Amino acid sequence: MGQYGNQPDFGTTVLKLTDIGLNESFPPSAIYVGATDDNNGELEVQPVGNAPGDTVVIHGISNGTFLPIVVTKIISKTGIDTDTILLYR
């Protein structure tokens, strides 16, 4: 994440989950979800500050959602198109 002047942090690098794959490690990143089934997606993620294996499940994710949680792995997904999950930092 970069910071410029008095602006808040914003992403300067974006990865696609399709280029990495589920349950694969990647640099600490926040998440954007573009499309879900019925605006009710679910992700299981590994937050940066949690011990390995101490994952979190995020429920009720709708289309076009930025998730302000920094993670290093997406373990699983339900009701979300993989090609619309972006990882930004």
Coordinates of all heavy atoms in Angstrom, one line a residue:
M1 N 0.9 -1.2 0.0 CA 0.0 0.0 0.0 C 0.9 1.2 0.0 O 1.9 1.2 0.7 CB -0.9 0.0 1.2 CG -1.8 -1.1 1.3 SD -3.3 -0.8 0.4 CE -4.5 -1.4 1.5
G2 N 0.5 2.2 -0.7 CA 1.2 3.5 -0.8 C 0.5 4.6 -0.1 O -0.7 4.6 0.1
Q3 N 1.2 5.7 0.3 CA 0.6 6.8 0.8 C 1.2 8.1 0.2 O 2.4 8.2 0.1 CB 0.8 6.9 2.3 CG -0.1 7.9 3.0 CD 0.1 7.8 4.5 OE1 1.2 7.9 5.0 NE2 -1.0 7.6 5.2
Y4 N 0.3 9.0 -0.3 CA 0.8 10.2 -0.9 C 0.2 11.4 -0.3 O -1.0 11.6 -0.2 CB 0.4 10.1 -2.4 CG 1.1 9.0 -3.2 CD1 0.6 7.8 -3.3 CD2 2.4 9.3 -3.7 CE1 1.3 6.8 -3.9 CE2 3.1 8.3 -4.4 CZ 2.5 7.0 -4.5 OH 3.2 6.0 -5.1
G5 N 1.1 12.3 0.2 CA 0.6 13.5 0.9 C -0.4 13.2 2.0 O -0.2 12.4 2.9
N6 N -1.5 13.9 1.9 CA -2.5 13.8 3.0 C -3.6 12.8 2.6 O -4.7 12.7 3.2 CB -3.2 15.2 3.2 CG -2.2 16.1 3.9 OD1 -1.4 15.7 4.6 ND2 -2.4 17.4 3.6
Q7 N -3.3 12.0 1.6 CA -4.3 11.0 1.1 C -4.2 9.7 2.0 O -3.1 9.4 2.4 CB -4.0 10.6 -0.4 CG -4.2 11.8 -1.3 CD -5.5 12.4 -1.3 OE1 -6.5 11.7 -1.3 NE2 -5.6 13.7 -1.2
P8 N -5.3 9.0 2.2 CA -5.2 7.7 2.9 C -4.5 6.7 2.1 O -4.2 6.9 0.9 CB -6.7 7.4 3.1 CG -7.4 8.1 2.0 CD -6.6 9.3 1.7
D9 N -4.1 5.6 2.7 CA -3.5 4.5 2.0 C -4.4 4.0 0.8 O -5.6 4.0 1.0 CB -3.2 3.3 2.9 CG -2.1 3.6 3.9 OD1 -1.3 4.5 3.6 OD2 -2.0 2.9 4.9
F10 N -3.8 3.6 -0.3 CA -4.5 3.0 -1.4 C -3.6 2.1 -2.1 O -2.4 2.1 -2.0 CB -5.1 4.1 -2.3 CG -4.0 5.0 -2.9 CD1 -3.4 4.7 -4.1 CD2 -3.6 6.2 -2.2 CE1 -2.4 5.5 -4.6 CE2 -2.7 7.0 -2.8 CZ -2.1 6.7 -3.9
G11 N -4.2 1.1 -2.8 CA -3.5 0.1 -3.5 C -2.6 0.6 -4.6 O -3.0 1.5 -5.4
T12 N -1.4 0.1 -4.7 CA -0.6 0.5 -5.8 C -0.2 -0.8 -6.7 O 0.4 -0.6 -7.8 CB 0.7 1.1 -5.3 OG1 1.4 0.3 -4.4 CG2 0.4 2.5 -4.7
T13 N -0.5 -2.0 -6.2 CA -0.3 -3.2 -6.9 C -1.5 -4.1 -6.8 O -2.0 -4.2 -5.7 CB 1.0 -4.0 -6.3 OG1 2.1 -3.1 -6.4 CG2 1.2 -5.2 -7.1
V14 N -1.9 -4.7 -7.9 CA -3.1 -5.6 -7.8 C -2.7 -7.0 -8.4 O -2.1 -7.0 -9.5 CB -4.3 -5.0 -8.6 CG1 -5.4 -5.9 -8.6 CG2 -4.6 -3.6 -8.0
L15 N -3.1 -8.0 -7.7 CA -2.9 -9.4 -8.2 C -4.3 -10.0 -8.4 O -5.3 -9.6 -7.7 CB -2.2 -10.2 -7.2 CG -0.8 -9.8 -6.8 CD1 -0.3 -10.6 -5.6 CD2 0.2 -9.9 -7.9
K16 N -4.4 -10.9 -9.3 CA -5.7 -11.7 -9.5 C -5.6 -13.0 -8.7 O -4.5 -13.7 -8.8 CB -6.0 -11.9 -10.9 CG -6.2 -10.7 -11.8 CD -6.4 -11.1 -13.2 CE -6.6 -9.9 -14.1 NZ -6.7 -10.3 -15.5
L17 N -6.6 -13.4 -8.0 CA -6.6 -14.7 -7.4 C -6.4 -15.8 -8.4 O -5.8 -16.8 -8.1 CB -7.9 -14.9 -6.6 CG -7.9 -16.2 -5.7 CD1 -6.7 -16.2 -4.7 CD2 -9.2 -16.4 -5.0
T18 N -6.9 -15.7 -9.6 CA -6.8 -16.7 -10.6 C -5.3 -16.9 -11.0 O -4.9 -18.0 -11.4 CB -7.5 -16.3 -11.9 OG1 -7.1 -15.0 -12.4 CG2 -9.0 -16.4 -11.7
D19 N -4.4 -15.9 -10.7 CA -3.0 -16.1 -11.0 C -2.3 -16.8 -9.9 O -1.1 -17.3 -10.0 CB -2.3 -14.8 -11.3 CG -2.8 -14.1 -12.5 OD1 -3.3 -14.8 -13.4 OD2 -2.8 -12.9 -12.6
I20 N -2.9 -16.9 -8.7 CA -2.3 -17.4 -7.5 C -2.9 -18.8 -7.1 O -2.2 -19.8 -6.9 CB -2.4 -16.5 -6.3 CG1 -1.7 -15.2 -6.7 CG2 -1.8 -17.1 -5.0 CD1 -2.0 -14.0 -5.7
G21 N -4.2 -18.8 -7.0 CA -4.9 -20.0 -6.6 C -5.3 -20.0 -5.1 O -4.7 -19.3 -4.3
L22 N -6.3 -20.8 -4.8 CA -6.8 -20.9 -3.4 C -5.7 -21.6 -2.6 O -5.0 -22.5 -3.1 CB -8.1 -21.7 -3.4 CG -9.3 -21.0 -3.9 CD1 -10.5 -21.9 -3.9 CD2 -9.7 -19.7 -3.0
N23 N -5.7 -21.2 -1.3 CA -4.8 -21.8 -0.3 C -3.3 -21.7 -0.6 O -2.5 -22.5 -0.2 CB -5.2 -23.3 -0.1 CG -4.9 -23.7 1.3 OD1 -4.8 -22.9 2.2 ND2 -4.8 -25.0 1.5
E24 N -3.0 -20.7 -1.4 CA -1.6 -20.4 -1.8 C -1.2 -19.0 -1.1 O -2.0 -18.1 -1.1 CB -1.4 -20.3 -3.3 CG -1.6 -21.6 -4.0 CD -0.6 -22.6 -3.7 OE1 0.6 -22.3 -3.4 OE2 -1.0 -23.8 -3.7
S25 N 0.0 -18.9 -0.6 CA 0.4 -17.7 0.1 C 0.7 -16.6 -1.0 O 1.1 -16.9 -2.1 CB 1.7 -17.9 0.9 OG 1.4 -18.8 2.0
F26 N 0.5 -15.4 -0.6 CA 0.8 -14.2 -1.4 C 1.2 -13.0 -0.5 O 1.0 -13.1 0.8 CB -0.4 -13.8 -2.3 CG -1.7 -13.7 -1.6 CD1 -2.1 -12.6 -0.9 CD2 -2.6 -14.8 -1.7 CE1 -3.4 -12.5 -0.3 CE2 -3.9 -14.7 -1.1 CZ -4.2 -13.6 -0.4
P27 N 1.8 -12.0 -1.0 CA 2.1 -10.8 -0.1 C 0.9 -10.3 0.6 O -0.2 -10.3 0.0 CB 2.7 -9.8 -1.1 CG 3.1 -10.6 -2.3 CD 2.2 -11.8 -2.4
P28 N 1.1 -9.7 1.8 CA -0.1 -9.1 2.5 C -0.9 -8.2 1.6 O -0.3 -7.2 1.0 CB 0.6 -8.4 3.7 CG 1.9 -9.1 3.9 CD 2.3 -9.6 2.5
S29 N -2.2 -8.5 1.5 CA -3.0 -7.7 0.6 C -4.4 -7.6 1.2 O -4.9 -8.4 1.9 CB -3.1 -8.5 -0.8 OG -1.9 -8.7 -1.3
A30 N -5.1 -6.5 0.7 CA -6.5 -6.4 1.0 C -7.3 -7.0 -0.1 O -6.7 -7.4 -1.2 CB -6.9 -4.9 1.2
I31 N -8.6 -7.1 0.0 CA -9.4 -7.9 -1.0 C -10.5 -7.1 -1.6 O -11.2 -6.3 -0.9 CB -10.0 -9.1 -0.3 CG1 -9.0 -10.0 0.3 CG2 -10.8 -10.0 -1.3 CD1 -9.6 -11.0 1.3
Y32 N -10.7 -7.2 -2.9 CA -11.8 -6.7 -3.7 C -12.6 -7.9 -4.3 O -12.0 -8.7 -4.9 CB -11.4 -5.7 -4.8 CG -12.6 -5.3 -5.7 CD1 -13.5 -4.4 -5.2 CD2 -12.8 -5.9 -6.9 CE1 -14.6 -4.0 -6.0 CE2 -13.8 -5.6 -7.7 CZ -14.7 -4.6 -7.3 OH -15.8 -4.3 -8.1
V33 N -13.9 -7.9 -4.1 CA -14.7 -9.0 -4.7 C -15.7 -8.3 -5.7 O -16.5 -7.5 -5.3 CB -15.6 -9.7 -3.6 CG1 -16.5 -10.7 -4.2 CG2 -14.6 -10.4 -2.6
G34 N -15.6 -8.7 -6.9 CA -16.4 -8.1 -8.0 C -17.8 -8.6 -8.1 O -18.7 -7.9 -8.2
A35 N -17.9 -10.0 -8.2 CA -19.2 -10.6 -8.4 C -19.4 -11.8 -7.5 O -18.5 -12.6 -7.3 CB -19.3 -11.0 -9.9
T36 N -20.6 -11.8 -7.0 CA -21.0 -12.9 -6.1 C -22.3 -13.5 -6.6 O -23.0 -12.9 -7.4 CB -21.2 -12.5 -4.7 OG1 -22.3 -11.6 -4.6 CG2 -20.0 -11.8 -4.1
D37 N -22.7 -14.7 -6.1 CA -24.0 -15.3 -6.4 C -25.0 -14.7 -5.4 O -24.8 -14.8 -4.2 CB -23.9 -16.8 -6.2 CG -23.0 -17.5 -7.2 OD1 -22.6 -16.9 -8.3 OD2 -22.6 -18.6 -6.9
D38 N -26.0 -14.1 -5.9 CA -27.1 -13.5 -5.1 C -26.6 -12.6 -4.0 O -27.2 -12.5 -2.9 CB -27.9 -14.7 -4.4 CG -28.5 -15.6 -5.5 OD1 -28.9 -15.1 -6.5 OD2 -28.5 -16.8 -5.2
N39 N -25.5 -11.8 -4.3 CA -24.9 -10.9 -3.3 C -24.7 -11.5 -1.9 O -25.0 -10.9 -0.9 CB -25.9 -9.6 -3.2 CG -25.6 -8.7 -4.3 OD1 -24.4 -8.4 -4.6 ND2 -26.6 -8.1 -4.8
N40 N -24.3 -12.7 -1.9 CA -24.1 -13.4 -0.6 C -22.9 -14.4 -0.6 O -23.0 -15.6 -0.4 CB -25.4 -14.2 -0.3 CG -25.4 -14.7 1.2 OD1 -24.8 -14.1 2.0 ND2 -26.1 -15.7 1.4
G41 N -21.7 -13.8 -0.9 CA -20.5 -14.6 -1.0 C -19.9 -14.9 0.4 O -20.2 -14.2 1.4
E42 N -18.9 -15.8 0.4 CA -18.2 -16.1 1.6 C -16.8 -16.4 1.3 O -16.5 -17.1 0.3 CB -18.9 -17.3 2.2 CG -18.3 -17.8 3.5 CD -19.1 -19.0 4.0 OE1 -20.3 -18.8 4.4 OE2 -18.5 -20.1 4.1
L43 N -15.9 -15.9 2.1 CA -14.4 -16.2 2.0 C -13.9 -16.7 3.3 O -14.2 -16.1 4.4 CB -13.6 -14.9 1.6 CG -13.8 -14.4 0.2 CD1 -13.0 -13.1 0.0 CD2 -13.3 -15.4 -0.8
E44 N -13.0 -17.7 3.3 CA -12.2 -18.0 4.5 C -10.8 -17.5 4.2 O -10.2 -17.9 3.2 CB -12.2 -19.5 4.7 CG -11.4 -19.9 5.9 CD -11.4 -21.4 6.2 OE1 -11.9 -22.2 5.4 OE2 -10.8 -21.8 7.2
V45 N -10.3 -16.7 5.1 CA -9.0 -16.1 4.8 C -8.0 -16.3 6.0 O -8.5 -16.5 7.2 CB -9.1 -14.6 4.6 CG1 -10.0 -14.3 3.3 CG2 -9.8 -13.8 5.8
Q46 N -6.7 -16.1 5.8 CA -5.7 -16.1 6.8 C -5.3 -14.6 7.0 O -4.5 -14.1 6.2 CB -4.5 -16.9 6.4 CG -3.3 -16.9 7.3 CD -3.7 -17.6 8.6 OE1 -4.1 -18.7 8.7 NE2 -3.5 -16.8 9.7
P47 N -5.7 -13.9 8.1 CA -5.3 -12.6 8.3 C -3.8 -12.5 8.7 O -3.3 -13.5 9.3 CB -6.2 -12.1 9.5 CG -7.3 -13.0 9.5 CD -6.8 -14.3 9.0
V48 N -3.2 -11.4 8.4 CA -1.8 -11.2 8.6 C -1.4 -11.4 10.1 O -0.4 -12.1 10.4 CB -1.3 -9.8 8.1 CG1 0.1 -9.5 8.6 CG2 -1.3 -9.8 6.6
G49 N -2.1 -10.9 11.0 CA -1.8 -10.9 12.4 C -2.2 -12.2 13.1 O -1.8 -12.4 14.3
N50 N -2.9 -13.1 12.5 CA -3.3 -14.3 13.2 C -2.2 -15.4 13.0 O -1.5 -15.4 12.0 CB -4.6 -14.8 12.6 CG -5.8 -14.0 13.0 OD1 -5.7 -12.9 13.4 ND2 -7.0 -14.6 12.8
A51 N -2.2 -16.3 14.0 CA -1.3 -17.5 13.9 C -1.7 -18.3 12.7 O -2.9 -18.4 12.3 CB -1.4 -18.3 15.2
P52 N -0.7 -19.0 12.1 CA -1.0 -19.9 11.0 C -2.1 -20.9 11.3 O -2.1 -21.5 12.4 CB 0.3 -20.6 10.7 CG 1.3 -19.7 11.2 CD 0.7 -19.0 12.4
G53 N -3.1 -21.0 10.5 CA -4.3 -21.9 10.7 C -5.4 -21.2 11.5 O -6.5 -21.8 11.5
D54 N -5.2 -20.0 12.0 CA -6.2 -19.3 12.8 C -6.9 -18.4 11.7 O -6.7 -17.2 11.6 CB -5.6 -18.5 13.9 CG -6.7 -17.8 14.7 OD1 -7.9 -18.1 14.6 OD2 -6.3 -16.9 15.5
T55 N -7.8 -19.0 11.0 CA -8.5 -18.4 9.8 C -9.8 -17.7 10.3 O -10.3 -17.9 11.4 CB -8.8 -19.4 8.7 OG1 -9.7 -20.4 9.2 CG2 -7.5 -20.0 8.2
V56 N -10.3 -16.9 9.4 CA -11.5 -16.1 9.6 C -12.4 -16.3 8.4 O -12.0 -16.3 7.3 CB -11.3 -14.6 9.8 CG1 -12.5 -13.8 9.9 CG2 -10.4 -14.4 11.0
V57 N -13.7 -16.6 8.7 CA -14.7 -16.7 7.6 C -15.5 -15.4 7.6 O -16.1 -15.0 8.6 CB -15.6 -17.9 7.8 CG1 -16.7 -18.0 6.7 CG2 -14.8 -19.2 7.8
I58 N -15.6 -14.8 6.4 CA -16.3 -13.6 6.2 C -17.6 -13.9 5.4 O -17.5 -14.5 4.3 CB -15.5 -12.5 5.4 CG1 -14.2 -12.3 6.2 CG2 -16.3 -11.2 5.2 CD1 -13.2 -11.5 5.4
H59 N -18.7 -13.7 6.0 CA -20.0 -14.0 5.4 C -20.7 -12.8 4.8 O -20.4 -11.7 5.2 CB -21.0 -14.6 6.4 CG -20.4 -15.8 7.1 ND1 -20.5 -17.1 6.6 CD2 -19.8 -15.9 8.3 CE1 -20.0 -17.9 7.4 NE2 -19.5 -17.3 8.5
G60 N -21.7 -13.0 3.9 CA -22.5 -11.9 3.4 C -21.8 -10.9 2.5 O -22.2 -9.7 2.5
I61 N -20.8 -11.3 1.7 CA -20.1 -10.4 0.8 C -21.0 -10.2 -0.4 O -21.4 -11.1 -1.0 CB -18.8 -11.0 0.4 CG1 -17.9 -11.3 1.7 CG2 -18.0 -10.1 -0.5 CD1 -16.7 -12.1 1.4
S62 N -21.2 -8.9 -0.7 CA -22.0 -8.6 -1.9 C -21.1 -8.1 -3.1 O -19.9 -7.9 -2.9 CB -23.0 -7.5 -1.5 OG -22.3 -6.3 -1.1
N63 N -21.7 -7.9 -4.2 CA -21.0 -7.5 -5.4 C -20.2 -6.1 -5.2 O -20.8 -5.2 -4.5 CB -21.9 -7.3 -6.6 CG -22.6 -8.6 -7.0 OD1 -22.0 -9.6 -6.8 ND2 -23.7 -8.5 -7.6
G64 N -19.0 -6.0 -5.7 CA -18.3 -4.8 -5.6 C -17.8 -4.4 -4.2 O -17.8 -3.2 -3.9
T65 N -17.4 -5.3 -3.4 CA -17.1 -5.1 -2.0 C -15.5 -5.0 -1.9 O -14.8 -5.9 -2.3 CB -17.6 -6.2 -1.1 OG1 -19.0 -6.2 -1.2 CG2 -17.2 -6.0 0.3
F66 N -15.1 -4.0 -1.2 CA -13.7 -3.9 -0.8 C -13.7 -4.4 0.7 O -14.4 -3.8 1.5 CB -13.2 -2.4 -0.8 CG -12.8 -2.0 -2.2 CD1 -13.6 -1.3 -3.0 CD2 -11.5 -2.3 -2.7 CE1 -13.3 -0.9 -4.2 CE2 -11.2 -1.9 -4.0 CZ -12.0 -1.2 -4.7
L67 N -12.8 -5.3 1.0 CA -12.7 -5.8 2.4 C -11.5 -5.2 3.0 O -10.4 -5.5 2.5 CB -12.7 -7.4 2.4 CG -13.9 -8.0 1.8 CD1 -13.7 -9.5 1.7 CD2 -15.1 -7.8 2.7
P68 N -11.6 -4.4 4.0 CA -10.4 -3.8 4.6 C -9.7 -4.6 5.6 O -9.3 -4.2 6.7 CB -11.1 -2.6 5.3 CG -12.4 -3.1 5.7 CD -12.8 -4.0 4.7
I69 N -9.5 -5.9 5.3 CA -8.7 -6.8 6.1 C -7.5 -7.2 5.3 O -7.6 -7.5 4.1 CB -9.6 -8.0 6.5 CG1 -8.8 -9.0 7.4 CG2 -10.1 -8.7 5.3 CD1 -9.6 -10.1 8.0
V70 N -6.3 -7.2 5.9 CA -5.1 -7.6 5.2 C -4.8 -9.1 5.4 O -4.7 -9.5 6.6 CB -3.9 -6.7 5.6 CG1 -2.6 -7.1 4.9 CG2 -4.2 -5.3 5.3
V71 N -4.7 -9.8 4.4 CA -4.5 -11.3 4.4 C -3.3 -11.8 3.6 O -2.8 -11.0 2.8 CB -5.8 -12.0 3.9 CG1 -7.0 -11.5 4.7 CG2 -6.1 -11.8 2.5
T72 N -2.9 -13.0 3.9 CA -1.8 -13.6 3.1 C -2.3 -14.9 2.4 O -1.5 -15.5 1.7 CB -0.6 -13.9 4.0 OG1 -1.1 -14.8 5.1 CG2 0.0 -12.7 4.6
K73 N -3.5 -15.2 2.6 CA -4.0 -16.5 1.9 C -5.5 -16.5 1.9 O -6.2 -16.1 2.9 CB -3.5 -17.7 2.7 CG -3.7 -19.0 2.0 CD -3.2 -20.1 2.9 CE -1.7 -20.2 2.9 NZ -1.2 -21.4 3.6
I74 N -6.1 -16.9 0.8 CA -7.5 -17.1 0.8 C -7.7 -18.7 0.7 O -7.2 -19.3 -0.2 CB -8.2 -16.5 -0.5 CG1 -8.1 -15.0 -0.4 CG2 -9.7 -16.9 -0.6 CD1 -8.7 -14.2 -1.5
I75 N -8.3 -19.2 1.8 CA -8.4 -20.6 2.0 C -9.5 -21.2 1.1 O -9.3 -22.2 0.4 CB -8.7 -21.0 3.4 CG1 -7.7 -20.3 4.4 CG2 -8.7 -22.5 3.6 CD1 -6.2 -20.7 4.2
S76 N -10.7 -20.6 1.1 CA -11.8 -21.1 0.3 C -12.7 -20.0 0.0 O -12.7 -18.9 0.6 CB -12.5 -22.2 1.1 OG -13.1 -21.7 2.3
K77 N -13.6 -20.3 -0.9 CA -14.6 -19.3 -1.3 C -15.9 -20.0 -1.6 O -15.9 -21.2 -2.0 CB -14.2 -18.5 -2.5 CG -14.0 -19.4 -3.8 CD -13.7 -18.6 -5.0 CE -13.8 -19.4 -6.2 NZ -15.1 -20.0 -6.5
T78 N -17.0 -19.3 -1.4 CA -18.3 -19.9 -1.7 C -19.2 -18.8 -2.3 O -19.2 -17.7 -1.8 CB -19.1 -20.4 -0.4 OG1 -18.2 -21.3 0.2 CG2 -20.4 -21.0 -0.8
G79 N -19.7 -19.0 -3.5 CA -20.6 -18.1 -4.2 C -19.9 -16.9 -4.7 O -20.5 -15.8 -4.9
I80 N -18.6 -17.0 -5.0 CA -17.9 -15.9 -5.6 C -17.1 -16.3 -6.8 O -16.5 -17.4 -6.8 CB -16.9 -15.3 -4.6 CG1 -17.6 -14.8 -3.3 CG2 -16.0 -14.2 -5.2 CD1 -16.6 -14.3 -2.2
D81 N -17.2 -15.6 -7.9 CA -16.4 -15.9 -9.1 C -15.0 -15.7 -8.9 O -14.6 -14.5 -8.6 CB -16.9 -15.1 -10.3 CG -18.4 -15.3 -10.7 OD1 -18.9 -16.4 -10.4 OD2 -19.0 -14.4 -11.2
T82 N -14.1 -16.7 -9.0 CA -12.7 -16.5 -8.7 C -12.0 -15.4 -9.6 O -11.2 -14.7 -9.1 CB -12.0 -17.9 -9.0 OG1 -12.6 -18.9 -8.2 CG2 -10.5 -17.8 -8.7
D83 N -12.5 -15.3 -10.8 CA -11.8 -14.3 -11.6 C -12.2 -12.8 -11.3 O -11.7 -11.9 -11.9 CB -12.1 -14.5 -13.1 CG -13.6 -14.5 -13.5 OD1 -14.4 -14.6 -12.6 OD2 -13.8 -14.4 -14.7
T84 N -13.1 -12.6 -10.3 CA -13.4 -11.3 -9.9 C -12.8 -10.9 -8.5 O -13.1 -9.9 -7.9 CB -14.9 -11.1 -9.8 OG1 -15.5 -11.8 -8.7 CG2 -15.6 -11.4 -11.1
I85 N -12.0 -11.8 -7.9 CA -11.3 -11.5 -6.7 C -10.0 -10.9 -7.0 O -9.1 -11.6 -7.6 CB -11.2 -12.8 -5.8 CG1 -12.5 -13.4 -5.5 CG2 -10.4 -12.5 -4.5 CD1 -12.5 -14.7 -4.8
L86 N -9.8 -9.7 -6.5 CA -8.5 -9.0 -6.7 C -7.9 -8.8 -5.3 O -8.5 -8.5 -4.3 CB -8.7 -7.6 -7.4 CG -9.4 -7.7 -8.7 CD1 -9.6 -6.3 -9.2 CD2 -8.6 -8.5 -9.7
L87 N -6.5 -8.9 -5.3 CA -5.8 -8.7 -4.1 C -4.9 -7.4 -4.3 O -4.1 -7.3 -5.3 CB -4.8 -9.9 -3.9 CG -5.6 -11.2 -3.9 CD1 -4.6 -12.4 -4.0 CD2 -6.4 -11.4 -2.6
Y88 N -5.1 -6.4 -3.5 CA -4.4 -5.2 -3.7 C -3.6 -4.8 -2.5 O -3.9 -5.1 -1.4 CB -5.4 -4.0 -4.1 CG -6.4 -3.7 -3.1 CD1 -6.2 -2.6 -2.3 CD2 -7.6 -4.4 -3.0 CE1 -7.2 -2.3 -1.3 CE2 -8.6 -4.1 -2.1 CZ -8.4 -3.0 -1.2 OH -9.3 -2.7 -0.3
R89 N -2.4 -4.1 -2.8 CA -1.5 -3.7 -1.7 C -0.8 -2.4 -2.2 O -0.8 -2.1 -3.4 CB -0.6 -4.8 -1.3 CG 0.2 -5.4 -2.5 CD 1.0 -6.6 -2.0 NE 1.6 -7.3 -3.1 CZ 2.8 -7.0 -3.6 NH1 3.6 -6.1 -3.0 NH2 3.2 -7.7 -4.6

